[in-house]
Structures are given as C-alpha cells and as structure tokens.
Amino acid sequence: MKRETKVSAAVVKRLPKYYRYLGMIADKGIIRVSSQELSNITGLTASQIRQDLNHFGGFGQQGYGYNVEELRGEIEKIIGIDKNYDAIVLGIGNIGQAITQYSGFKDSGFNIVALFDKAPRMVGKKVSGLEIRKIDTLEEYLRNNSIQIAIMAVPANAAQNICDTLVEGGIMGIWNFAPVDLRLPDDIILENVHLDESLYTLTFYMNNKKDYPGSR
Amino acid sequence: MKRETKVSAAVVKRLPKYYRYLGMIADKGIIRVSSQELSNITGLTASQIRQDLNHFGGFGQQGYGYNVEELRGEIEKIIGIDKNYDAIVLGIGNIGQAITQYSGFKDSGFNIVALFDKAPRMVGKKVSGLEIRKIDTLEEYLRNNSIQIAIMAVPANAAQNICDTLVEGGIMGIWNFAPVDLRLPDDIILENVHLDESLYTLTFYMNNKKDYPGSR
C-alpha cells in the first residue's frame, strides 16, 4: 500500500462503515458486489465509494465490481484490525465495566489485559476475570508490560494526569470516554467518545429540526 | 432566537464543547471571558468562536467579552438541555446498563423511565430501581406514555424492527448504540454512537500515523 496523499478524516470515518457492511454482505454468502450495490446499501453514492476505495489502491475491476471477501480483508488490513492489540481500562465505573465485559472487541483482536481504578472499594474486585488494580501501580505496570491501547473511563478531572502516565509508559493510542479534551504529543493517537456531546447533539436537533441534515 | 440560515453540523458539534468548557470556567468562579481566552482553553481560534456564537445572536460585547453564566445559559437553551426529557432504554446488556446507571444524564434533565429487553432471563430484573420490561410490551407502553428519547442498545439485527415500533409510538429522537445505520423518517432525529467505528478509527490512525490530523 503506497500512497502519497493524506487520507481525509471523512474517508477514515467511512472505512469502518464499509468494513461493517462488507461483513454483512459476506455473511449473506454474496461473493462480489458493485459500487452501485454498495451505494444502495450504504446510502453513499457509487462515485464516492469508488473514490474512497481508490485512496488505498483501487481493488475493484471494471465490469466485475469488488470481491467481497478480498475487499473486506484489505480494509481490515488498512484499519489495522488484522493485528492483535493489548489494551488496559482505566476507571472501572459503568462505562469501564461495560467496555471490559463486551466480548465483541475480543473477537476483533482487542485483548483487555488489565483494569485500573482509584477507589479502594473497587481494587481487588474482578470484572470479566480480571482483578482491578490500584491506579497507583499503573506506572510500574506499563514499565513491565507492552500495552498498545488505553481505554480511559475515569472522571474528567482525573483524566489528564493518568493520560500523562500513559504517554510516559509508551502507550500508542488512547480511546477516551472521559468528558475532557486531553492534551497529548502528536504521535499518540487519541479517539474520543464524548457521550455527553453526542446526547446534546441529539437534543439540539430535536429542538432545531430545520438544522437537521438527516440521518444519513 | 431568530435565524434564517441552517447551522452546519460542524457548528452543532462544537456547541456541547462550548457548554462543557463554560461549565468548567463557571465552576472556577470566573464571571467573564473573551473569545481569545476561550480560544486558549478550547484550542479553537477566537474568530471561529465568535463566528460560531454569532449564529445564535452574538452574545458577546466588544471590549467586554462574554458573561460566562449568561452565555452558558443561552447555549443550554439552544442545545435544549434546559428542558426535561423522558427516555427509555432498549436492550439492557452492558451498554444499556451502563447508560441506565450513569447518574450524570439525570442531572442534565434526562429521566430514564423504562427499560426493555428481549431475553426472558433479563425481564423482571431491576436496574437503577427500574424493572426490565418485555420488549413485546413496547408498543403498548408507548401508547400509554409520552416518551421523547429512545436509547437503543440492542444487537444490530434487532434494531430496525424496534426502531419502527418507536417511530410508530411517537418517539422524537433516537440515541443509537447498535452497530447499524437505522432508516428513519426525516422528522425523527437520530444520533449514533458507533463504538466499533470509533475503535477502528483509533487503530487506523495507529497504523497510518501520517494521516492523523492531531488530537484537536
């Protein structure tokens, strides 16, 4: 995969969607699919789809379309979910527990290998077979273990400090559920899930329907 | 609030961020703030901030800046979180339970008033004091209760059917956690939290660092 140009955030956002739809199509036993058929399913235009996939080398063939499994496999590689990742969860409240217990991520190669919390009443408890560790032991843990992904589900006011420890400890990516914008070196990847902002977006459009761009 | 032009999705996405930062500033006892100070905190440019807020009438005063509480109150109204919303949760798995148990939403006027699940082993159990109802009773429930928001946390393959029942039942907005793109009439507001897509975005950038636009 050689490419010169940067892929825009909009394209990156659509890749997981293609991956999901191709999985659905593959599950139905369909072997090949045209950009027009992908368009019908995804609601994106066929030319948009061709353009998006061309960024990564253009897997389609004129008059044939795309081989579903092949395209799915390529996107899997591009997204990087053909690999395995060791992840830790910081903050074992409602969201932290839900993420830890959700088995779907494990199937995709995400292994949650350690849990951390600050509250003494949580430390030592088990979630999904993993004992919750004291947050104070995070630094030492990261010295002794190679972890790629940190899942942050701590309160907003605790997040930046923990984040600094994670960066020091060599983490590569942070999946952040804390309602705060973390400050990070540019080579550490941050992906936010700001649930409060998402809910407020919903209520904004419920109260300002004329601004709503539609569900697609 | 009179305005002629549509507010773009990008502006709408920033409003909850302003609201969050203004809350933090207010908590520190700060009474007024300039767009430049807001810029320093949020990482957005001062002119961007002024432009965003001008969409809604321009609350700032030349040489004074913005009154923190006043601006926060105005944004609260614009977002619609000065009102109360009755919400139900569909699917009481890990995510459904986490959302139900999270008390932060209640403080913002979101009252979760009923829970529904399909699994017989879940029906009748209690989460946060609410008994889980049979999903088959949803239609009847909606006939007898006025619910504004539905929080969807069911498996992907069950989501569209339930969604149709919700639309029939007069729901106004759907906060969807199911990994599926729901099809809805245009006057029903849909806001998706696609956790799988978010996680894949993280791994994409971890594997394609040159495409990463940075954490801001």
Side-chain angles (χ1 to χ4, degrees):
Chain A
M1 189 178 51
K2 287 173 204 148
R3 54 195 165 79
E4 302 295 321
T5 52
K6 255 197 174 189
V7 177
S8 75
V11 177
V12 174
K13 243 193 117 177
R14 285 193 290 271
L15 284 176
K17 219 173 265 293
Y18 290 130
Y19 181 70
R20 173 154 56 82
Y21 278 108
L22 287 164
M24 284 164 50
I25 295 170
D27 286 349
K28 285 183 187 159
I30 295 168
I31 289 169
R32 71 184 203 184
V33 68
S34 68
S35 50
Q36 187 52 53
E37 287 163 332
L38 276 175
S39 165
N40 298 341
I41 304 168
T42 61
L44 302 164
T45 67
S47 87
Q48 171 88 84
I49 292 169
R50 283 192 300 269
Q51 205 181 322
D52 282 356
L53 299 177
N54 270 340
H55 274 102
F56 303 98
F59 315 108
Q61 277 172 41
Q62 192 77 36
Y64 176 88
Y66 301 94
N67 177 299
V68 175
E69 277 299 350
E70 197 182 293
L71 180 57
R72 186 164 184 264
E74 287 297 331
I75 294 180
E76 189 170 73
K77 268 187 242 167
I78 293 163
I79 301 178
I81 39 180
D82 55 329
K83 303 180 187 173
N84 288 306
Y85 300 89
D86 282 340
I88 58 175
V89 182
L90 294 313
I92 313 301
N94 297 317
I95 291 291
Q97 283 185 38
I99 299 288
T100 303
Q101 286 165 346
Y102 180 61
S103 60
F105 296 134
K106 192 162 190 173
D107 302 337
S108 307
F110 299 94
N111 304 310
I112 294 178
V113 295
L115 313 179
F116 294 86
D117 202 283
K118 194 186 170 185
R121 67 183 171 80
M122 296 301 289
V123 174
K125 278 194 183 172
K126 280 194 174 183
V127 178
S128 289
L130 293 169
E131 203 171 290
I132 301 173
R133 297 162 189 256
K134 267 175 88 166
I135 193 78
D136 307 345
T137 66
L138 175 61
E139 199 178 329
E140 194 195 336
Y141 180 86
L142 291 174
R143 262 201 305 276
N144 299 320
N145 297 275
S146 171
I147 303 296
Q148 290 84 55
I149 296 177
I151 303 168
M152 292 278 276
V154 300
N157 58 11
Q160 186 62 54
N161 264 344
I162 293 172
C163 181
D164 295 343
T165 306
L166 293 168
V167 171
E168 276 294 308
I171 221 92
M172 291 170 63
I174 296 180
W175 200 22
N176 177 46
F177 289 78
V180 63
D181 295 322
L182 298 170
R183 287 166 194 249
L184 289 171
D186 269 346
D187 60 333
I188 312 291
I189 311 301
L190 173 67
E191 170 70 13
N192 288 309
V193 179
H194 283 162
L195 292 179
D196 56 340
E197 295 184 9
S198 174
L199 184 55
Y200 297 161
T201 302
L202 177 66
T203 57
F204 173 85
Y205 284 124
M206 285 170 65
N207 288 282
N208 299 273
K209 282 196 174 180
K210 68 181 179 311
D211 296 315
Y212 186 54
S215 61
R216 277 288 168 88
Chain B
M1 189 176 50
K2 287 174 206 150
R3 56 196 164 77
E4 301 296 319
T5 53
K6 255 197 174 189
V7 178
S8 76
V11 177
V12 174
K13 242 194 116 177
R14 285 192 290 270
L15 284 175
K17 218 173 265 293
Y18 291 129
Y19 181 70
R20 174 154 56 82
Y21 278 109
L22 287 165
M24 284 165 50
I25 295 170
D27 286 348
K28 285 184 187 159
I30 296 167
I31 290 169
R32 70 183 203 185
V33 67
S34 68
S35 50
Q36 187 53 53
E37 286 162 333
L38 276 175
S39 165
N40 298 342
I41 304 168
T42 60
L44 302 164
T45 67
S47 87
Q48 172 87 85
I49 292 168
R50 283 192 299 270
Q51 206 181 319
D52 283 356
L53 298 177
N54 271 340
H55 274 102
F56 303 98
F59 315 108
Q61 278 172 40
Q62 192 77 36
Y64 175 89
Y66 300 94
N67 177 298
V68 175
E69 277 300 348
E70 196 181 293
L71 180 57
R72 186 163 184 264
E74 286 297 331
I75 293 181
E76 190 171 72
K77 268 186 243 168
I78 292 164
I79 301 177
I81 38 179
D82 56 329
K83 302 180 187 173
N84 289 306
Y85 299 90
D86 282 340
I88 58 175
V89 182
L90 295 312
I92 314 300
N94 297 318
I95 292 291
Q97 283 186 38
I99 299 288
T100 304
Q101 286 166 346
Y102 180 62
S103 60
F105 296 134
K106 191 161 190 173
D107 301 337
S108 307
F110 298 95
N111 304 310
I112 294 178
V113 295
L115 313 178
F116 294 86
D117 202 282
K118 194 186 169 185
R121 67 183 171 79
M122 296 301 289
V123 174
K125 278 194 184 172
K126 280 195 174 183
V127 178
S128 288
L130 293 170
E131 204 170 290
I132 301 173
R133 297 161 189 258
K134 266 175 91 165
I135 192 76
D136 307 344
T137 65
L138 175 61
E139 200 178 330
E140 194 195 336
Y141 180 87
L142 292 174
R143 261 200 305 276
N144 300 320
N145 297 274
S146 171
I147 303 296
Q148 290 85 53
I149 296 176
I151 302 169
M152 291 278 276
V154 301
N157 58 11
Q160 186 61 55
N161 265 343
I162 292 173
C163 181
D164 296 342
T165 306
L166 293 168
V167 171
E168 276 294 307
I171 221 91
M172 292 170 62
I174 296 181
W175 199 23
N176 176 45
F177 289 78
V180 64
D181 296 321
L182 298 170
R183 286 165 195 251
L184 290 171
D186 269 346
D187 60 333
I188 313 291
I189 311 300
L190 173 67
E191 169 71 13
N192 288 308
V193 180
H194 283 163
L195 292 178
D196 56 340
E197 294 184 10
S198 174
L199 184 55
Y200 297 161
T201 302
L202 177 66
T203 57
F204 173 86
Y205 285 124
M206 285 170 65
N207 288 282
N208 300 272
K209 282 195 174 180
K210 68 181 178 311
D211 295 315
Y212 186 54
S215 60
R216 278 286 169 90

